[in-house]
Amino acid sequence: MKVLGIHHVAIAVKDLDEALKRFSDVLGARAEVEEVPEEKVRVAMIDLGNARIELLQGLSPDSAISKFIEKRGEGIHHIAVEVDNIDEACREISQKGYRLVYPEPKLVAGGKRRVNFVHPKDMHGVLLELVEVVK
Ligand code: CO
């Protein structure tokens, strides 16, 4: 597997519109907002050129993001690294004994990315997302 760089840093927020206004204001960057009902989140991806900031707001109190905020407050939720081949990456990482969140990579962002996560308990409290950009 080959790591190509940081794809995005995700931040859990209570109010996406307010957060997006601030981050756009400070960084002068634009973003696409997307609702993902099956994951109970609203997402804004702010493009920073060589990486992105992903703002995440839970759509209901039982969403993972809402629970995260309740437990730890707003702030960095995960770091995503881009890999050239996510199947290979997942295979290598689980062979080394690290736990992945999904048994198989998940297709997200309307089919634009395939992702999986390394469990934060294996990564010093950091949720690490693996991203393959679908060509
Ligand atoms: Co992410």
Side-chain angles (χ1 to χ4, degrees):
M1 81 182 248
K2 199 174 160 207
V3 173
L4 304 175
I6 297 277
H7 186 273
H8 62 268
V9 175
I11 300 169
V13 301
K14 290 178 183 167
D15 181 336
L16 184 69
D17 299 312
E18 170 61 27
L20 182 53
K21 221 171 75 189
R22 284 190 185 218
F23 276 85
S24 305
D25 204 26
V26 169
L27 301 171
R30 291 160 14 100
E32 302 163 30
V33 179
E34 193 195 344
E35 209 153 293
V36 190
E38 63 271 24
E39 305 210 349
K40 299 174 184 163
V41 289
R42 284 180 76 214
V43 186
M45 268 293 191
I46 303 170
D47 192 355
L48 299 177
N50 65 345
R52 296 146 203 85
I53 289 178
E54 179 179 65
L55 300 174
L56 296 165
Q57 178 197 343
L59 285 173
S60 63
D62 65 330
S63 90
I65 296 303
S66 307
K67 286 184 198 158
F68 175 90
I69 290 174
E70 201 175 292
K71 223 158 85 184
R72 298 172 69 164
E74 290 184 299
I76 293 182
H77 180 263
H78 64 267
I79 296 171
V81 295
E82 185 177 346
V83 295
D84 61 338
N85 182 328
I86 194 161
D87 299 300
E88 203 179 285
C90 289
R91 206 161 38 239
E92 278 188 36
I93 289 166
S94 47
Q95 264 167 16
K96 287 177 183 167
Y98 300 98
R99 287 166 288 180
L100 297 170
V101 170
Y102 305 131
E104 292 293 328
K106 245 180 146 169
L107 197 61
V108 299
K112 284 185 282 186
R113 298 192 292 274
R114 298 177 66 220
V115 305
N116 205 341
F117 294 87
V118 185
H119 202 286
K121 281 188 178 153
D122 291 344
M123 298 305 294
H124 296 260
V126 174
L127 179 61
L128 187 64
E129 181 178 359
L130 306 164
V131 177
E132 180 190 318
V133 176
V134 177
K135 278 135 202 145

